[in-house]
Amino acid sequence: MKMNGRVDAYPYLQVIILFAGLGSVIGGLIVQLCVLLIFREADFVQISYQPMLYVGLLGFIPALLTGIVIASKKIWRGDHESIRTSFLIGFVTSAFYMGAIVIYLGIHSWVEIAVLLAFMFIVGLFGAINSAIASCIALPKVCKSGFDITSKKEEDSYKGLISTEC
């Protein structure tokens, strides 16, 4: 995409859409597999698609927020901290999103606050795992070019031979 005479290389919209789509679908599938492991006698058709649908719809908003934050920070897949950063961003957005929902429903005692914090931690961890998995798929790769001239070369023996002046 070309903006103001320069090439913008980071695919913001693609990262946001992929995180929103993949994060919610991955979360729904993980919940579906957990439900299948808990209820071993039931099969996929007996359990139905409801857990996948509910978690997918409920997880769409934090996955979308995670994608927006990751795209705004321009996180790439090739560097070492990308999975750790997306894990942390996924944890924070999921935990605060679930905390906001529970607070909106109402808190009436200290016990409910403790339950809220535990629930926020569990849902945040779940969102962080989803974000780390989605980052392996949705983030663009870092491209290293052999003609990368951004770093300064220490010994350039052709420095005096090549002249840019006419």
Side-chain angles (χ1 to χ4, degrees):
M1 178 183 284
K2 194 168 183 161
M3 297 175 62
N4 296 335
R6 68 179 184 88
V7 177
D8 192 21
Y10 194 82
Y12 294 100
L13 190 59
Q14 178 183 359
V15 170
I16 292 169
I17 291 171
L18 283 173
F19 258 93
L22 289 174
S24 58
V25 169
I26 289 170
L29 289 174
I30 290 173
V31 167
Q32 188 72 32
L33 290 174
C34 290
V35 168
L36 282 172
L37 288 175
I38 291 170
F39 303 107
R40 293 181 188 250
E41 292 81 29
D43 62 354
F44 193 75
V45 176
Q46 287 176 331
I47 293 174
S48 184
Y49 299 103
Q50 289 178 353
M52 188 167 58
L53 180 67
Y54 291 143
V55 172
L57 290 176
L58 192 62
F60 178 76
I61 293 173
L64 179 68
L65 292 173
T66 301
I68 291 170
V69 172
I70 286 177
S72 69
K73 293 199 172 284
K74 295 182 183 179
I75 297 175
W76 296 86
R77 187 179 351 162
D79 60 357
H80 299 289
E81 295 184 8
S82 65
I83 293 178
R84 187 176 1 174
T85 305
S86 64
F87 184 88
L88 182 64
I89 292 170
F91 179 84
V92 170
T93 56
S94 298
F96 283 136
Y97 178 69
M98 283 300 129
I101 288 175
V102 173
I103 288 173
Y104 176 74
L105 295 174
I107 294 179
H108 304 292
S109 69
W110 286 104
V111 174
E112 290 178 355
I113 292 175
V115 170
L116 168 68
L117 292 175
F119 186 65
M120 284 176 62
F121 179 77
I122 291 169
V123 171
L125 192 59
F126 182 73
I129 292 169
N130 290 340
S131 177
I133 293 170
S135 71
C136 293
I137 301 167
L139 290 179
K141 287 184 180 180
V142 174
C143 295
K144 295 285 185 182
S145 172
F147 300 104
D148 187 15
I149 58 171
T150 58
S151 62
K152 184 178 178 183
K153 301 191 186 320
E154 291 182 22
E155 293 183 29
D156 193 359
S157 59
Y158 298 106
K159 189 177 191 180
L161 299 177
I162 298 175
S163 174
T164 58
E165 298 174 6
C166 293

